[in-house]
Every structure is written in structure tokens, then in C-alpha cells.
Amino acid sequence: MARALSTEKRTLIMEQAKKLFGEAGFAATSVSDVATACELPVGSIYTYFTNKEELVRAIVEEGWNDLRARLHEALATEESIEEKLELLVGTFFPELLADSDLITILLSEAVEFTGLEEKINELVELFEGILMPLIRSRPQFEEYRRSNLEAALMVYFLGTLEAVRITRASSLNVKPEDIIGFLRMTIQNVLGLKLNN
Amino acid sequence: MARALSTEKRTLIMEQAKKLFGEAGFAATSVSDVATACELPVGSIYTYFTNKEELVRAIVEEGWNDLRARLHEALATEESIEEKLELLVGTFFPELLADSDLITILLSEAVEFTGLEEKINELVELFEGILMPLIRSRPQFEEYRRSNLEAALMVYFLGTLEAVRITRASSLNVKPEDIIGFLRMTIQNVLGLKLNN
Amino acid sequence: MARALSTEKRTLIMEQAKKLFGEAGFAATSVSDVATACELPVGSIYTYFTNKEELVRAIVEEGWNDLRARLHEALATEESIEEKLELLVGTFFPELLADSDLITILLSEAVEFTGLEEKINELVELFEGILMPLIRSRPQFEEYRRSNLEAALMVYFLGTLEAVRITRASSLNVKPEDIIGFLRMTIQNVLGLKLNN
Amino acid sequence: MARALSTEKRTLIMEQAKKLFGEAGFAATSVSDVATACELPVGSIYTYFTNKEELVRAIVEEGWNDLRARLHEALATEESIEEKLELLVGTFFPELLADSDLITILLSEAVEFTGLEEKINELVELFEGILMPLIRSRPQFEEYRRSNLEAALMVYFLGTLEAVRITRASSLNVKPEDIIGFLRMTIQNVLGLKLNN
DNA sequence: TATGAATGAGACTTCATTCAT
DNA sequence: TATGAATGAAGTCTCATTCAT
């Protein structure tokens, strides 16, 4: 039998590519760059990925699936709205924000191969599902219901991601913790809930 | 005597390039593409701009300066916080959001040539300047002061821009008006101000 | 003891390769394409054939040998010139023309690996052998004898093959039957023989 | 003003490419090979031709157009069928057959980019136009009319071209003159005309 | 100043063949 | 014997920029 496709090699390629795409950008990183970083011949990249696009797609998809899987698993164990929101703000977002390469890739050029749109949609729907009972039960949220909860959630999510990307390689002194802090505060103030960190 | 460089040509180049960069992306648009769109020889691009980078830089800089100039001029005529905020939310942002090419360019790939960071900083500082008196005067905003007003503003601004970019070529049914609506509502609720549209 | 190479597999490979080489061309068909069409691993191709060239060679050689064997066998049972020619025109050529993949391979690119030249020579000699008695016996064929019977036969044979190849994937409404019809008519008119279909 | 596209360079590229495509085949000749033969950088090939396909296309088209133009011009000055046929057989075909690179290219792999089909069609129609009056006037050609004059002409034309191609790099002692001789003899015998060389 | 052909590095990708398993 | 991952040379093409005219 021939050598089996090496999971390690595949992982190595994805790691190195993610780093390079994140740091230098998708367009600015050549397949050769990736190969060099892996100390692998160029051809090998193509035994693991059909082409450059598939490579980004795989990076994003596997990164996101991983995050989502852990989120849904954790979510299943929590009952109250507060606990669920705390999970998002206390665990999911910190994890996501720590992965600035993934964020940069999600946000930049390759939107077409990256499906940012659908990922955001997913989060929006998840959040809506969590918040709906609350919103329905309180008349003062009427306005949110009528107006665009969707727009609001997009702004918060995308703003959070962008803030991390921009902040990253710049002199700005805003840190992921600050952003998480803001999100937590907003949830508490706007929804009138008390999260217990 | 040498003829002066034609302002018209320069403007034409910037317009066409902005359109192409916005629609297809900076990396995916060649200098020749720009020349073709202008019905101008490639060489001409280089008599007006040192290189491709300078061209984006100019597009972003002039677009932004224009926006900023009009904003500051208008701001000078308004006195109250409410009026100033209304100006931002009722005029500045709608104008900015209408320019989806500029937004796409600001946000994508070319961050390095684009100075998104400093533009956001500028807005943040402007906003802080407007809000500071209010925040100082009301103890319940204490929390905002300590925590990250900066982070908050970045999330709102960048989220707004990203939402427009993502929404643009996608099936999402969120529209610029919805986003503006959300911003206005947020200002009113969070700051306890009444904007009169 | 080592298992013998499977004849079935070898045949399968040759069939699929012939189809692909015929349809898409030798250069445009990769060894992997062949393997895929066979639902066989690439390596298998190389246990049956030294390399891609040997594969074409084998396809052509075996296809041709088969045709020739049947022709010679049949020819042995026929006595008269008329019967022999009828065999060629009524059986051999129709069979050959039905195999458009073989024809395409014989004629295209890979002439070097294909030995078209010698195949044509073979046919020419066979034909000359059949016709010589006739030609010698009739003074009006003098001209043919002096001039180039060889050239004539090459034109007829190669023209027939090319016509089938060209006709194949095109809008031309010439069909193999038409070509056979033309050959039969020509034999009758030029040689003054009556073939009885 | 910039340098004008050099006709000489374009011609040089076409000449070298024609030679290489003719000798080694289209697939076996790389664009780099062409560039090297021209002592030109690879990029330059692409300032004169969109891609490799366009290059063959241009070679074939210009070669064929040239031939055709001269043929039609000459044809216009001839009145009788005999003179017209003599022109074809005495001038056009010899010229075409002398250009074995063109013939090889026309016949091999690149049929798709080469339009052999339409070229043959053109010749067939031209010939039919010349012969029709003759055929209509003589009852013994009835058979030709019903059956496939088209098939016949295709076999003669394609056979002629193929014979030259095959003959070319092989040990066969059939020469273009022999083929032309055969064609002339056939015309005289079949049509009962006397061509005066 | 204006032009656009010229350049050549470098991008992505394919593929025949080998060889570890 | 069977497998199919590994390889790396080579192929086609693009493109920012220069510079002869």
C-alpha cells in the first residue's frame, strides 16, 4: 500500500498558510510561500488541497466549525438566558478574538471563498433565538423588535471582529479584553440583565 | 512651458479606479484595467500617480478628506450635543454609507496603504470630544468613562462599515437605513438624548 | 509464485485509454485520467505499461493487429480480385471506419509512437499485390504502373481515415457510408470491375 | 509616442512558431520554446498574441488566407474548366504541399483552433462550383451527383494533405510531385478532360 | 508630456513517474 | 504485486513598471 495521506502534513500546511494569510494577506501570500514555510515542495500543497482557494476555505471552515461545535456543546448545558449570554461573552468571543489570523482571513479580500456572510448570519440567528423570549416578554424592547435587531447584531459582531483586526498590527491601545468588556456591559445595560462574569 | 497635469484626467482615473477597486478588489484590479476603464494609455496612470499604491492612497485620502471637511464645516454651525449627533447620524454616516466603494476599499486588503486605523482614530476622538461634557456631567456614565469608550466607538464605527460592505454584494436584507436607524436608536437609549431626526 | 498480470485489467486500461485518447487527444489525457476512468490506482497503469507512450503504442498495435489478422484470414478464402476487393471495401474498411477512436489516435499528434507510416505501407503493399496481376494484364493501366500507384493508394487510404476523423466531431454531414460508397464506386470505375456488394 | 507594434517581430514569432509546431507538434512545443527560437523574452509572445491558441490560429489563418487570396485572384482570370483545374493542380496544390509545416499544423491535434473542417468545406464548395456545369451536362456523371461528390472531394483533399504530412519525416519515397501527378491523372481520367500541364 | 510595447520575475497549476509501504 | 502520495520540473500566463519614441 502507498503512504497514507498524512494528517500531520495537512495540518502543518493549514497552520502555516493561516499564519501567512493572516499576516500578509491572501493575495500577497503565494502558494510557494506556504510551501517554503512548511519546508515542503510546492507540489505537495496540491496533493492536500485542490487549489489556493480550497486552502483558505478549509482553514476558515475548519476553524469556524471547531469554534461552533464547542459553542453549541457548551450552550446545551446552560439553561438561563444569562448563562447562555455569559458563555458567548465569556468563552466564545474571547476564543474567537484570540485567533486574530482567522479573523483577518474572515474579513479580508477572500470574502468570496470565506463565507463571512453566512457565518455572521449563523451568529445572528443564534442570538435571536436566545433573545427572542426576552424581547417578547418586555414591552420596552418593542422598538428593537420592530427595528432591526438584525442590523444591530451585525454591527456588534462585525465591529468586534474588525476592531480586533485593525487593532492588531497597529499602535492602537484597544485590546480584545476591552472589546469583550464593552460587549458585556452593553448586554447588561441594554437588556437589563446581570451577567456574573 | 510645460502644460499642467490635467485635473480632469486625474479625477477620471481616481473615479474609475475607485469603482474597480471597490467592485473587484485592489489585488484583482490591474493598473491596465484602470487604464482601459478610463480609455487612457497605461503610461498615463503613472504620470498622475507614482504607483498602484499611491493611487489607492489618493482615492482614500481625498474621499475621506472631502467627507471630513464637510463634516467639520457643518459641525461648526451646530451648538448642542443633540444637533451635533444628529448631524453625524443624519448626514455624515448616510453619506459615507452611500459610498460603498470607498468603504470596501477602506476595509479590505490594502489596509496598509489605506490608513483605516487613523481614520477610525479620528472619528473616535471627534466623538469623544463631543460626548465628554455629557459623560462628565452624569455619574451613571462613569462606567463608560472607566471602561472603554474607545472600544465601544470602534465597534460601532467599524461594525457599521463592515455591515455595509458585507451586505452589499450579498443576499442579506439589511440596508444602510436599518444600520443608521440602529445607530440613532442606540445614541438615544444609551445617552438618554432625544434626536429630532 | 507470482500472480500473473490480469489480462482483464490490461484490457480495461487499453479500452478506457483508447476512448479518452480518441475523444480528448493524447496530450490532453493524463495517465491519471485513464486511471480514474478505469477506477484503478495510477500505479496500476505502470504495472501494465512502461509509460504513457507504450500505452498508446499497445492500443494502436493491438487494434491494428486484430484488424489485420481478420483481414488476412478472410482474404485467404477469397480467390478472385473482385472478391478480395469486395472484402476490403465491404468488411475491412467499414470495420476500421467504425472505430473512430483508433483512427483519431492513428492520425493525431502521436504519429511517432503510432507507426501510421508503416500501417499505410502495409495496406499499400497488400493492395498492390492484389492489383498487380490486373494492372499487368491491361495496357490501359500502364499509366498507373509508371506513375504512382503508391501515391494513389496513400491518398485514398489516408483520405478515408482523415475524412472520418474530421467528420466525427463536426457538423459535416458526410458519413462513413458515403465514403465507403465512394471507394466502391472508384474501384469499379477506375478498374472496370463489378463488385457485387 | 511609444514604440509601435513591430510587424517584423510578429512575423518572426509566427515563422518560428510555425516551424516548431510543424516539426515537433503543437502540444510538444512550449511558448518558451517559441520565445527562445525568436531570441525574445517569453512575455513578448504575449504582447503579440493573446495566448498559445491565438498564435496557432493566426499562423493557420494567415497562411490559408494568403493561399486562398492568390487562388481566387488567379481563378478570376481563367475561363474554362480545364484552365481552372490546371490552376488548382498546377499552382495551388503545389504551393500548399510545399508548406509542410502548415499542413502538419492543419492536420494535427489542434483541429479545434485550426478550423480544418471549414477550410476543407471551402475547397469542396469551390470545386463543386467549378465542376457542376460539367456534371450536369453529362449523364454518365449522374452517379457522382447522387452519391457523394462531397465525400469524394474530402477524401482527395484530406488524403493529399495527410500523404504529405506522413511522407515528410519518414522513409517513404512518395513525393509531393507524385501526389500532384496522381491528382492530375485522376481529374483527366474521371472527368475526361485534357489538362495541358 | 504622452504613449504603449517591452520586460522578466513570479504566480498558479499539472503531470509523468517513482517508490515507500 | 498493489497503492497512491510525493516530487519538482515545466507549462501557461499576468502584471507593475520602465523607457524608447
Side-chain angles (χ1 to χ4, degrees):
Chain A
M1 219 192 325
R3 269 155 291 178
L5 267 186
S6 145
T7 307
E8 280 159 42
K9 227 178 257 182
R10 195 187 131 96
T11 305
L12 174 65
I13 293 170
M14 287 178 65
E15 280 170 0
Q16 297 298 328
K18 183 174 168 183
K19 194 156 163 266
L20 293 173
F21 291 164
E23 284 167 2
F26 177 73
T29 302
S30 74
V31 175
S32 291
D33 291 340
V34 176
T36 303
C38 298
E39 296 185 82
L40 239 36
V42 216
S44 287
I45 308 292
Y46 288 88
T47 82
Y48 289 88
F49 301 92
T50 308
N51 52 37
K52 208 184 164 191
E53 291 187 19
E54 278 313 318
L55 177 52
V56 219
R57 231 189 284 267
I59 291 168
V60 170
E61 230 51 55
E62 299 188 17
W64 187 259
N65 284 345
D66 183 44
L67 226 46
R68 178 176 45 199
R70 279 183 287 140
L71 174 61
H72 282 286
E73 193 181 2
L75 229 38
T77 72
E78 305 294 350
E79 294 259 302
S80 71
I81 293 182
E82 281 88 348
E83 284 167 333
K84 286 178 174 169
L85 292 176
E86 174 55 36
L87 192 73
L88 277 160
V89 157
T91 304
F92 177 76
F93 272 103
E95 273 179 19
L96 174 54
L97 298 205
D99 195 348
S100 63
D101 285 328
L102 180 60
I103 290 177
T104 303
I105 295 171
L106 270 168
L107 290 173
S108 66
E109 5 186 10
V111 204
E112 336 142 39
F113 325 136
T114 265
L116 174 55
E117 181 195 333
E118 63 185 54
K119 265 116 209 149
I120 292 301
N121 251 351
E122 219 180 291
L123 276 189
V124 166
E125 278 168 25
L126 178 70
F127 236 88
E128 284 182 336
I130 296 175
L131 296 182
M132 265 316 167
L134 188 74
I135 288 179
R136 288 225 183 75
S137 70
R138 308 215 193 150
Q140 72 269 35
F141 292 152
E142 174 62 15
E143 200 174 1
Y144 266 103
R145 210 189 320 167
R146 280 183 302 109
S147 98
N148 246 304
L149 177 56
E150 215 171 308
L153 291 173
M154 281 188 67
V155 168
Y156 284 120
F157 290 150
L158 290 169
T160 298
L161 297 184
E162 259 306 338
V164 169
R165 175 172 82 112
I166 290 301
T167 290
R168 185 186 191 185
S170 84
S171 54
L172 292 171
N173 53 353
V174 172
K175 300 191 203 74
E177 304 89 83
D178 299 326
I179 298 167
I180 300 284
F182 160 67
L183 291 179
R184 167 172 282 126
M185 192 184 74
T186 298
I187 289 172
Q188 297 191 136
N189 287 353
V190 173
L191 300 177
L193 299 174
K194 182 81 194 140
L195 304 185
N196 67 326
N197 196 1
Chain B
M1 216 196 322
R3 238 170 309 162
L5 287 179
S6 144
T7 308
E8 276 168 43
K9 254 182 220 175
R10 197 186 130 92
T11 305
L12 174 64
I13 293 169
M14 288 178 62
E15 280 169 0
Q16 298 297 327
K18 182 174 167 184
K19 194 157 163 264
L20 293 172
F21 290 164
E23 285 167 1
F26 177 72
T29 303
S30 73
V31 176
S32 290
D33 289 341
V34 175
T36 303
C38 298
E39 297 183 79
L40 237 40
V42 219
S44 284
I45 309 290
Y46 287 86
T47 78
Y48 290 89
F49 302 91
T50 309
N51 53 36
K52 208 183 165 192
E53 293 185 17
E54 278 314 316
L55 177 53
V56 220
R57 231 187 285 266
I59 290 168
V60 170
E61 230 49 56
E62 298 188 18
W64 188 259
N65 284 345
D66 181 46
L67 224 48
R68 178 175 45 200
R70 278 184 288 141
L71 175 61
H72 281 286
E73 193 181 1
L75 229 38
T77 72
E78 305 293 352
E79 294 260 302
S80 71
I81 292 182
E82 282 89 346
E83 283 166 333
K84 286 178 174 171
L85 291 176
E86 175 54 36
L87 192 72
L88 277 160
V89 156
T91 304
F92 177 76
F93 273 103
E95 272 179 21
L96 175 54
L97 298 205
D99 195 349
S100 63
D101 286 328
L102 180 60
I103 290 176
T104 302
I105 296 171
L106 271 168
L107 289 174
S108 66
E109 356 190 22
V111 204
E112 334 136 43
F113 325 136
T114 265
L116 175 54
E117 181 197 331
E118 62 186 53
K119 266 115 210 150
I120 291 302
N121 248 352
E122 219 181 292
L123 274 188
V124 167
E125 277 167 25
L126 179 70
F127 236 88
E128 284 182 337
I130 295 175
L131 295 181
M132 265 318 167
L134 188 73
I135 288 178
R136 289 226 182 75
S137 71
R138 306 213 195 152
Q140 73 269 35
F141 292 153
E142 174 62 16
E143 199 174 1
Y144 265 105
R145 212 188 321 164
R146 280 185 300 109
S147 97
N148 247 304
L149 177 56
E150 216 171 308
L153 292 173
M154 282 188 65
V155 168
Y156 283 121
F157 291 150
L158 289 169
T160 298
L161 297 185
E162 259 307 337
V164 169
R165 175 172 83 112
I166 290 301
T167 290
R168 185 186 192 183
S170 86
S171 55
L172 293 172
N173 53 354
V174 172
K175 301 192 203 75
E177 304 90 82
D178 299 327
I179 298 167
I180 300 282
F182 161 67
L183 292 180
R184 166 172 282 126
M185 193 184 74
T186 298
I187 288 172
Q188 298 190 133
N189 287 352
V190 173
L191 300 178
L193 298 175
K194 181 83 194 136
L195 303 185
N196 68 326
N197 194 2
Chain C
M1 217 191 326
R3 239 170 309 162
L5 288 180
S6 145
T7 308
E8 276 167 43
K9 252 182 222 174
R10 197 186 129 94
T11 306
L12 174 64
I13 293 169
M14 287 178 62
E15 281 170 359
Q16 298 297 328
K18 183 175 167 184
K19 194 157 164 263
L20 293 173
F21 290 165
E23 285 167 2
F26 178 71
T29 302
S30 74
V31 175
S32 290
D33 290 341
V34 176
T36 303
C38 299
E39 297 184 79
L40 235 41
V42 220
S44 285
I45 309 290
Y46 286 87
T47 79
Y48 291 89
F49 302 92
T50 309
N51 53 35
K52 208 184 165 191
E53 293 185 18
E54 278 313 316
L55 177 52
V56 220
R57 232 187 286 266
I59 290 168
V60 169
E61 232 48 58
E62 299 188 16
W64 187 259
N65 284 344
D66 182 46
L67 226 46
R68 178 176 44 200
R70 278 183 287 142
L71 174 61
H72 281 286
E73 194 181 359
L75 229 36
T77 72
E78 306 292 351
E79 295 259 303
S80 71
I81 293 182
E82 282 88 346
E83 284 166 332
K84 286 178 175 171
L85 292 176
E86 175 55 36
L87 193 72
L88 278 159
V89 155
T91 305
F92 177 75
F93 273 104
E95 273 179 21
L96 175 54
L97 299 205
D99 195 350
S100 62
D101 286 328
L102 180 60
I103 290 177
T104 302
I105 295 170
L106 271 168
L107 289 173
S108 67
E109 357 189 19
V111 205
E112 334 137 42
F113 324 135
T114 265
L116 174 54
E117 181 195 332
E118 62 185 54
K119 266 115 211 150
I120 291 302
N121 249 351
E122 219 180 290
L123 273 189
V124 166
E125 279 168 24
L126 178 70
F127 235 88
E128 283 182 337
I130 295 176
L131 295 182
M132 265 318 168
L134 188 73
I135 288 178
R136 289 225 184 76
S137 69
R138 307 214 194 149
Q140 73 269 35
F141 292 151
E142 174 62 15
E143 200 175 1
Y144 265 105
R145 210 185 325 163
R146 280 183 303 111
S147 99
N148 247 304
L149 178 56
E150 215 171 309
L153 292 174
M154 282 189 67
V155 169
Y156 284 119
F157 291 150
L158 289 169
T160 298
L161 298 186
E162 259 306 338
V164 170
R165 175 173 80 112
I166 291 301
T167 290
R168 185 186 191 182
S170 85
S171 55
L172 292 173
N173 52 355
V174 172
K175 302 192 202 74
E177 303 89 84
D178 300 326
I179 297 166
I180 300 284
F182 160 69
L183 291 180
R184 166 171 282 127
M185 193 183 74
T186 298
I187 288 173
Q188 298 190 134
N189 288 352
V190 173
L191 301 177
L193 298 176
K194 181 82 194 135
L195 304 185
N196 68 324
N197 194 4
Chain D
M1 219 190 328
R3 270 156 290 178
L5 267 185
S6 145
T7 308
E8 281 159 41
K9 227 178 258 182
R10 196 187 130 96
T11 305
L12 173 65
I13 294 170
M14 286 178 64
E15 279 170 1
Q16 298 297 328
K18 183 174 167 183
K19 193 157 164 264
L20 293 172
F21 290 163
E23 285 167 1
F26 177 71
T29 303
S30 74
V31 176
S32 290
D33 292 339
V34 176
T36 303
C38 297
E39 297 185 82
L40 239 36
V42 215
S44 286
I45 309 293
Y46 288 89
T47 82
Y48 289 88
F49 301 92
T50 309
N51 52 37
K52 209 184 163 191
E53 291 187 19
E54 279 313 318
L55 177 52
V56 220
R57 231 188 285 267
I59 290 168
V60 170
E61 231 49 56
E62 299 188 17
W64 187 259
N65 284 344
D66 184 43
L67 226 46
R68 177 176 45 198
R70 279 184 288 140
L71 173 62
H72 281 286
E73 195 181 359
L75 229 36
T77 71
E78 306 294 352
E79 294 260 303
S80 71
I81 293 182
E82 282 88 346
E83 285 167 331
K84 286 178 176 171
L85 292 176
E86 174 55 35
L87 192 72
L88 277 159
V89 155
T91 304
F92 177 75
F93 273 103
E95 273 180 19
L96 175 53
L97 299 205
D99 194 349
S100 62
D101 285 328
L102 180 59
I103 290 176
T104 303
I105 295 170
L106 270 168
L107 290 173
S108 67
E109 4 186 9
V111 205
E112 338 143 37
F113 326 136
T114 264
L116 175 54
E117 179 195 335
E118 64 185 54
K119 265 115 209 151
I120 291 302
N121 251 351
E122 219 179 292
L123 276 188
V124 166
E125 279 169 24
L126 179 69
F127 237 88
E128 284 182 335
I130 295 176
L131 296 181
M132 265 317 168
L134 188 73
I135 288 178
R136 288 226 183 75
S137 70
R138 308 216 194 148
Q140 72 269 35
F141 291 152
E142 174 63 16
E143 200 174 1
Y144 264 106
R145 211 186 322 163
R146 280 184 303 108
S147 99
N148 246 305
L149 177 55
E150 215 171 309
L153 292 173
M154 281 188 66
V155 168
Y156 283 121
F157 291 150
L158 289 170
T160 298
L161 298 184
E162 256 312 332
V164 169
R165 174 171 82 113
I166 291 301
T167 290
R168 185 188 191 182
S170 84
S171 55
L172 292 172
N173 53 352
V174 172
K175 301 192 201 72
E177 304 88 83
D178 300 326
I179 298 166
I180 300 283
F182 160 68
L183 292 180
R184 167 172 282 126
M185 192 184 74
T186 299
I187 289 173
Q188 297 191 134
N189 288 352
V190 173
L191 300 178
L193 298 175
K194 181 82 193 136
L195 303 186
N196 66 327
N197 194 1

